[in-house]
Amino acid sequence: MAANNILDKVLSLQDKYHNLQQQLSSPEVMSDMKKYVQLNKDYKELEPIINTGLEYKKLLEELALAKDILVNEKDDDLKEMARAEIAEIEPKIPELEQKIKLLLIPADPDDSKNAMIEIRGGTGGDEAAIFAGDLFRMYTKFAERKGWKVEVTDQAPGTSGGYKQIVFKVSSSNDGVYGIMKYESGVHRVQRVPQTETQGRIQTSAASVAVFPEAGEFDIDLDMNDIRKDTYCSSGPGGQGVNTTYSAVRLTHIPSGIVVQCQEERSQLKNFDRALEELRTRLYNREHQKYLDGIAAKRKTMVSTGDRSAKIRTYNYPQSRVTDHRINWTMYNLPVFMDGDIQECIDQLQIAENAERLKEAGE
């Protein structure tokens, strides 16, 4: 795509961008929260495209001026300054062009959302549950590094540690958590000597991870008449309140049959709010699933959350090796990775996905 075409595409969006700016400050829109949320989302999506486009335009203008000085100016000092400026600007142009091309391709519409994550111990019995606990710790440590908040909604502990299943929300006021964590969906396989193994034999176990974009209040219309609420005594954390008050909440969405529960808080009201949040997310993701199924076939970096058989990563403890099979990426420092240092792997997955997105767009 030629420089002029790229610039024309970006500048053609400026009118829409300014129009959105004006609408967002109008009292009529500000009084309609649903409309305001949607327009603000559109505005935030356009903002990096416009800003990068203006930076690109400025660099092109500076490059043209420097080349003009080099051709027409007689002063050697000015010519030398122009040469230095050209040498500095020219490598930046293709980088910005690539960035703009990617920004112009519609991203996953849910990348900016928070994430709801479910980890389930798979094949391997007690060891699979222990590994599910290791993965939960890994994501918690990663979230700490990013300054994100982690809130557990529901958990079923394993008999020897870890979790048979754990559901938790990861949120941030700055980052689109789902856009970063979505690459973790799929089956994670571990090869090691289990704590429960007395003979010292290496075994292979697995845990599945499903990452969903959290549904906002305006993403789905939820009819409370369709929901049955049951309360029961909490059996999990909660100190003195455990088994004495009906603080745990189970919600059943009658039309779909989806059931969610929360017992992590002492307050029934807080448990209800969290359970409702998860129910809304699971209903929203029935639609999102169709989108995921569509792109999973085109992009090796993405695994449909419905495909629990897709092995995406192997954690080999004897060799201290972690391998992501989608992009053939390997790291030989497993303890560091398990301590939450997973950003490099996610960066490589994002680079691979960007290449696939450009290919899809015909670039």
Side-chain angles (χ1 to χ4, degrees):
M1 195 188 289
N4 286 343
N5 284 353
I6 292 173
L7 204 52
D8 289 345
K9 278 199 172 186
V10 174
L11 296 178
S12 70
L13 296 169
Q14 268 192 310
D15 287 344
K16 184 182 177 183
Y17 179 70
H18 293 313
N19 187 31
L20 284 168
Q21 257 180 337
Q22 289 172 347
Q23 286 187 71
L24 284 168
S25 58
S26 77
E28 184 189 335
V29 169
M30 289 174 83
S31 64
D32 183 346
M33 189 48 70
K34 189 170 184 177
K35 189 173 184 182
Y36 180 83
V37 167
Q38 183 56 54
L39 289 176
N40 192 50
K41 184 171 177 283
D42 294 343
Y43 176 77
K44 291 287 185 190
E45 283 172 3
L46 275 180
E47 197 169 32
I49 300 173
I50 300 299
N51 290 342
T52 309
L54 292 175
E55 184 188 348
Y56 179 68
K57 182 173 183 262
K58 184 169 172 272
L59 276 184
L60 288 178
E61 288 168 353
E62 287 172 359
L63 183 64
L65 183 62
K67 284 182 174 178
D68 184 61
I69 289 170
L70 201 58
V71 171
N72 299 312
E73 186 59 56
K74 292 187 170 53
D75 187 293
D76 287 340
D77 287 344
L78 282 175
K79 280 189 165 190
E80 192 54 43
M81 284 170 66
R83 279 193 197 94
E85 197 168 353
I86 290 166
E88 187 185 340
I89 292 171
E90 281 188 330
K92 293 179 182 176
I93 299 287
E95 289 174 16
L96 274 180
E97 285 176 352
Q98 192 77 346
K99 187 177 176 182
I100 291 168
K101 284 177 189 177
L102 280 169
L103 286 169
L104 286 169
I105 300 167
D108 183 326
D110 292 309
D111 275 358
S112 60
K113 294 181 184 292
N114 292 324
M116 191 76 72
I117 303 175
E118 176 191 73
I119 305 174
R120 285 190 200 172
T123 52
D126 288 346
E127 166 64 4
I130 292 167
F131 180 51
D134 293 339
L135 290 176
F136 174 64
R137 180 184 176 277
M138 179 179 84
Y139 294 138
T140 303
K141 289 283 187 182
F142 179 60
E144 280 175 17
R145 289 167 185 257
K146 305 285 281 185
W148 295 346
K149 185 179 178 184
V150 174
E151 299 167 277
V152 175
T153 302
D154 189 29
Q155 57 178 292
T159 51
S160 300
Y163 304 97
K164 291 175 186 170
Q165 178 181 356
I166 183 163
V167 181
F168 57 101
K169 173 185 164 185
V170 186
S171 57
S172 167
S173 54
N174 302 315
D175 300 323
V177 176
Y178 176 73
I180 296 167
M181 293 302 296
K182 63 184 179 181
Y183 302 101
E184 295 303 301
S185 277
V187 172
H188 296 243
R189 187 173 59 176
V190 63
Q191 294 169 331
R192 64 184 177 188
V193 178
Q195 295 173 21
T196 51
E197 168 62 50
T198 55
Q199 304 295 318
R201 291 172 298 199
I202 294 169
Q203 289 186 10
T204 299
S205 304
S208 67
V209 177
V211 183
F212 308 108
E214 183 200 22
E217 189 182 343
F218 301 109
D219 286 330
I220 191 160
D221 291 322
L222 205 53
D223 187 344
M224 297 309 291
N225 294 320
D226 289 338
I227 299 169
R228 189 179 75 235
K229 174 186 171 186
D230 297 304
T231 57
Y232 57 100
C233 290
S234 173
S235 59
Q240 295 173 353
V242 173
N243 290 326
T244 59
T245 59
Y246 284 82
S247 59
V249 173
R250 183 183 295 111
L251 300 180
T252 304
H253 186 250
I254 296 161
S256 67
I258 292 173
V259 179
V260 298
Q261 57 190 35
C262 183
Q263 59 174 5
E264 297 304 307
E265 301 282 353
R266 289 193 180 186
S267 155
Q268 186 188 118
L269 189 62
K270 285 183 179 176
N271 281 329
F272 174 77
D273 287 344
R274 281 216 207 165
L276 192 64
E277 208 172 58
E278 187 187 341
L279 178 60
R280 192 184 288 119
T281 293
R282 290 190 181 274
L283 285 167
Y284 178 75
N285 275 279
R286 290 194 306 171
E287 289 305 308
H288 183 69
Q289 186 64 49
K290 294 172 189 171
Y291 167 80
L292 273 181
D293 290 342
I295 64 166
K298 299 178 196 168
R299 300 186 204 159
K300 62 185 176 183
T301 47
M302 295 298 293
V303 173
S304 158
T305 50
D307 185 0
R308 291 187 179 272
S309 64
K311 291 181 179 65
I312 62 164
R313 200 176 291 151
T314 297
Y315 304 74
N316 184 298
Y317 275 72
Q319 296 176 21
S320 190
R321 184 188 78 227
V322 57
T323 300
D324 196 290
H325 305 295
R326 292 164 293 181
I327 51 173
N328 294 321
W329 177 89
T330 297
M331 174 183 179
Y332 285 93
N333 198 343
L334 187 53
V336 168
F337 194 85
M338 296 306 294
D339 204 40
D341 191 2
I342 65 174
Q343 187 64 58
E344 186 187 335
C345 183
I346 288 173
D347 287 344
Q348 292 303 314
L349 285 159
Q350 286 180 326
I351 289 166
E353 191 196 6
N354 286 342
E356 289 170 337
R357 287 172 64 214
L358 283 169
K359 191 176 173 184
E360 278 176 48
E363 293 297 332

